[in-house]
Amino acid sequence: MQIIQSVNEMQSHAIGLRSSGRLIGLVPTMGCLHEGHLSLIDIAKEKTDKVIVSIFVNPTQFGPSEDYDKYPRELEQDLEKCRDRGVDIAFTPSVAEMFPQDYSTYVKEEHISAGLCGISRPQHFQGVTTVCLKLFNLTRPDIAVFGRKDAQQCAVVKKMVRDLHLPTEIVIGPTLRDADGLATSSRNVYLSPVQREEALNISKSLKIAKDMVDSGTRSVDRVVAEVTHHLAHSRRIRVIYVNVVDRERMELARTIEPGKQLLCVAAWADQTRLIDNIEL
Ligand code: PAF
C-alpha cells in the first residue's frame, strides 16, 4: 500500500492512474476506522481497480465549540487496517496543505443542508462539501463511497455532484451496526459502557418506528411522538431532532409513504453527539 501525504503527488498520481484507464474508487474518511468504513472499502474494491482511502480530520466541518481537538486520531492503526483490507493508496494530507492560512474558497449546498443537522451545525455541510470537492479534485475518483448512517451528508454530496457536473458517481453503503445494534461511528469510542447502554435506545427507537409503519401507521406525528417518548426515558439522552424526511431532498414528510422516507434521529448521549436513521 502506498501512503501519499502531498496533495500534488496525490493529484499527479491519480491523473496517471486515470490516463492508464484504471477505475478509481475513493473512500473519504476522518480516520479512526471501524467496520463501517471497512465495508465501504470492500464496496470500492468490488467496483474499481484502485482504491484510495483518504484519512483527514477536516477542521472546516466542525463548529467552534465542537470536538475537533479531541476527535480520535489513530493513524498507525488506520494504516494497518487499510493495508489488511487491500487498499491501494492511503491519502493522508496535512491541514497545512489542505487549508493553508490564506485559504478562502468554500462550496455551499443551500437546500438539503439547511434542515436536520444543518440547524444545530450551521457550517458543517459547507465544510463537508468543500473538503469532498477538494478530495475529488485530488484523487479523481470514478466512484466515491459513503455510508448511509450519514444520510444527510450522502444527499448533500450527491446534490453537489449533480449541481457541479462532477464526473464521480456517489455510491452509498449500508449502515453497519455492532452486535448490540449501535450504528458504527468513530465517535462511539467516546461512550462509557453506561452511556453506550443508553445510546442503544436510539437504534431501538428506530426499530419501534419501523414496526409501527410495518403494522400500518401512516401518521408522521404518531411515529415521531413514539420515538421521542421512548428516548425521553433515557436519562443521558437528549434529543436534538426526530424527523421523517424524504430520502433525496431531506424535506419533512407529512404522511408516511413506506419505502420512500427515512426516520432520522440526532441525540446527545451526555457529551457525545450521535446520529442514526432507518428507512420506513
Ligand atoms: O463522513 C465523514 O467521515 C466526513 O464527513 C467526510 C466525508 C470524510 C468529510 O470530511
Side-chain angles (χ1 to χ4, degrees):
M1 182 179 79
Q2 237 179 312
I3 301 170
I4 300 182
Q5 270 187 315
S6 141
V7 296
N8 287 339
E9 193 186 334
M10 183 68 256
Q11 195 174 49
S12 47
H13 195 74
I15 290 169
L17 285 173
R18 266 195 101 116
S19 59
S20 68
R22 305 295 218 300
L23 280 181
I24 301 177
L26 171 69
V27 180
T29 81
M30 297 208 297
C32 194
L33 302 182
H34 49 66
E35 284 301 318
H37 292 119
L38 302 182
S39 71
L40 304 182
I41 292 171
D42 292 345
I43 294 173
K45 277 183 71 71
E46 223 177 86
K47 291 181 176 288
T48 60
D49 307 313
K50 289 282 174 195
V51 173
I52 304 174
V53 172
S54 62
I55 301 176
F56 178 67
V57 184
N58 168 30
T60 68
Q61 69 187 75
F62 291 80
S65 58
E66 293 182 357
D67 57 342
Y68 174 68
D69 288 333
K70 75 163 191 174
Y71 195 85
R73 290 161 170 87
E74 300 182 343
L75 187 58
E76 283 316 309
Q77 290 101 304
D78 288 344
L79 294 175
E80 205 50 53
K81 288 176 191 170
C82 287
R83 227 173 257 121
D84 289 351
R85 211 65 172 205
V87 169
D88 298 287
I89 300 170
F91 176 45
T92 62
S94 67
V95 174
E97 263 211 291
M98 289 292 274
F99 294 105
Q101 286 289 319
D102 64 345
Y103 189 85
S104 58
T105 304
Y106 294 88
V107 187
K108 185 174 182 201
E109 189 289 321
E110 296 200 318
H111 292 292
I112 301 169
S113 309
L116 303 177
C117 289
I119 295 171
S120 50
R121 307 186 76 191
Q123 299 301 318
H124 173 68
F125 289 112
Q126 174 177 302
V128 170
T129 43
T130 300
V131 84
C132 285
L133 182 56
K134 285 165 72 72
L135 291 169
F136 293 177
N137 282 333
L138 294 170
T139 62
R140 308 287 165 119
D142 294 279
I143 70 161
V145 191
F146 293 79
R148 186 172 300 289
K149 182 182 76 73
D150 302 308
Q152 191 176 11
Q153 169 170 281
C154 294
V156 169
V157 172
K158 272 188 166 176
K159 187 65 168 38
M160 172 185 76
V161 163
R162 185 144 50 93
D163 285 350
L164 301 183
H165 313 290
L166 303 180
T168 298
E169 183 196 345
I170 303 302
V171 174
I172 311 296
T175 301
L176 234 77
R177 296 185 183 279
D178 289 331
D180 58 9
L182 192 69
T184 54
S185 161
S186 303
R187 288 192 169 93
N188 291 351
V189 299
Y190 297 148
L191 299 172
S192 69
V194 177
Q195 289 168 334
R196 187 180 171 104
E197 196 55 40
E198 293 219 9
L200 291 180
N201 284 316
I202 298 174
S203 52
K204 285 182 191 156
S205 72
L206 296 180
K207 177 83 175 50
I208 291 171
K210 175 78 177 137
D211 288 346
M212 285 176 78
V213 172
D214 287 350
S215 34
T217 306
R218 295 292 176 266
S219 158
V220 168
D221 288 348
R222 278 190 57 201
V223 170
V224 168
E226 190 57 39
V227 170
T228 311
H229 177 73
H230 183 81
L231 292 172
H233 284 116
S234 307
R235 210 167 50 85
R236 295 172 189 279
I237 302 292
R238 272 175 301 130
V239 170
I240 303 168
Y241 62 74
V242 175
N243 286 146
V244 178
V245 295
D246 78 271
R247 238 186 321 197
E248 304 295 318
R249 288 160 298 153
M250 297 277 133
E251 282 170 1
L252 295 180
R254 294 197 188 155
T255 51
I256 290 170
E257 297 174 60
K260 293 195 178 158
Q261 295 149 333
L262 298 174
L263 174 76
C264 298
V265 173
W268 291 101
D270 287 335
Q271 278 79 46
T272 305
R273 193 179 193 284
L274 299 172
I275 57 172
D276 202 348
N277 66 76
I278 195 165
E279 191 175 306
L280 292 178

